[in-house]
Amino acid sequence: MTNQDILKTAMLQSSIDSHCEMEDFLSDQNKIVISAPHPQARKYLDLPFSCDLTSYGNNIVASVSADLAGPVQKYLDTYPVAHCFETPNMYVLNEEVKKHKACICFMAEYFLPDADIIQPLSCQYPTRLLEPNDFQSYYLPQWHNALSEQRRHLDRMAIGAFDGGQLVGLAGCSADCDTMWQIGVDVLPAYRRQGIAAALTSRLAVEILKREIVPFYCCAWSNIRSARNAIKSGFKPAWVQLTAKSIAFTSTMNQPPE
């Protein structure tokens, strides 16, 4: 796959998720669309959106409920694209969605592999490609980024790093949609800062690309360690997304850990 193929695949998927046309992400003008469910949308999305902003850098496509179309259009018309995703302007949007019993909940940056540079990076520990039957015993808290307990049926493949018989690092991928698999990675605390995460992430990405599937990587904007791993592994920033959820859902997420 070329970088153009990879980007087109991601934009096509975003158009399914946002209920718009792929070309909408290439426009210089912002676009408001009414959100709707789709059987080929990313599996973890709760559709329809009340308010979701997606940008590949050119503009913003806002996928919203009908009652928020007017307020969100005003918001997009008022502030520059980049500022719509950050404070203090974001507070204006949050006040509008709060009128509809929602609030800003998720803010994330997504990365795509750079086909010109991505390659398997070296690892000082032996690594092994794992199929689903091989990692069923690894659904444990220390591997919660690599494997999804809630969506085990979507976990397709993983690569583990082993120190003797001990698993010390694990990168896994989830088939979140037909054409794109999301990578997550975990490394035990005692083994961090040794390049294990990048080695596993890059190797898994190459394996996914061999299958004509596009790997993607996501992290919070403030997760510098994770963003650095993406870049070191051969990924580059591709799009950003901001999503509102119900106030009740967000309050549940804000409960302190037990």
Side-chain angles (χ1 to χ4, degrees):
M1 288 187 182
T2 65
N3 282 329
Q4 185 175 3
D5 295 330
I6 291 170
L7 182 60
K8 181 178 179 181
T9 298
M11 285 187 173
L12 281 171
Q13 185 59 48
S14 290
S15 71
I16 292 171
D17 300 338
S18 294
H19 195 226
C20 66
E21 301 298 324
M22 186 194 80
E23 290 74 19
D24 291 336
F25 296 105
L26 300 171
S27 173
D28 291 331
Q29 301 298 314
N30 295 324
K31 177 83 173 183
I32 299 282
V33 294
I34 304 303
S35 180
H38 194 290
Q40 294 178 311
R42 280 177 284 162
K43 300 296 190 297
Y44 58 85
L45 296 179
D46 184 16
L47 297 176
F49 293 122
S50 62
C51 178
D52 178 88
L53 308 186
T54 299
S55 178
Y56 280 80
N58 302 300
N59 67 342
I60 295 174
V61 173
S63 186
V64 301
S65 58
D67 54 356
L68 275 169
V72 174
Q73 181 70 69
K74 181 180 179 182
Y75 179 71
L76 300 187
D77 290 344
T78 302
Y79 305 108
V81 169
H83 292 185
C84 285
F85 289 87
E86 64 180 12
T87 57
N89 299 152
M90 191 178 67
Y91 292 132
V92 174
L93 178 62
N94 196 53
E95 287 302 312
E96 288 296 333
V97 298
K98 281 172 63 177
K99 298 174 184 177
H100 301 267
K101 299 181 179 180
C103 60
I104 303 303
C105 185
F106 297 125
M107 301 165 61
E109 183 172 13
Y110 291 82
F111 299 78
L112 291 172
D114 186 336
D116 295 331
I117 66 171
I118 196 163
Q119 61 180 332
L121 299 179
S122 62
C123 184
Q124 62 181 300
Y125 298 98
T127 63
R128 187 165 76 243
L129 182 65
L130 306 171
E131 300 295 336
N133 287 339
D134 301 320
F135 53 69
Q136 291 306 307
S137 62
Y138 296 144
Y139 283 93
L140 301 169
Q142 59 265 42
W143 312 120
H144 72 281
N145 288 311
L147 301 174
S148 174
E149 175 67 42
Q150 293 75 25
R151 297 185 296 275
R152 288 191 180 203
H153 62 290
L154 298 179
D155 288 338
R156 290 291 186 267
M157 183 170 50
I159 293 183
F162 296 84
D163 184 4
Q166 181 187 14
L167 179 67
V168 299
L170 184 68
C173 59
S174 174
D176 292 335
C177 52
D178 294 339
T179 59
M180 300 178 71
W181 292 358
Q182 181 171 193
I183 292 178
V185 62
D186 292 291
V187 176
L188 295 181
Y191 290 84
R192 291 173 185 166
R193 304 181 71 85
Q194 300 179 47
I196 297 174
L200 296 178
T201 302
S202 61
R203 292 178 183 214
L204 186 56
V206 169
E207 289 293 334
I208 296 170
L209 287 166
K210 287 179 182 177
R211 291 158 174 76
E212 297 298 311
I213 302 290
V214 172
F216 71 102
Y217 187 105
C218 171
C219 71
W221 300 339
S222 57
N223 194 340
I224 300 301
R225 184 170 62 187
S226 187
R228 284 175 177 164
N229 178 61
I231 294 168
K232 184 177 179 180
S233 301
F235 285 72
K236 57 185 178 181
W239 80 96
V240 293
Q241 201 158 353
L242 180 153
T243 308
K245 300 284 287 184
S246 71
I247 291 175
F249 175 88
T250 307
S251 296
T252 300
M253 291 195 69
N254 281 333
Q255 293 299 314
E258 297 180 356

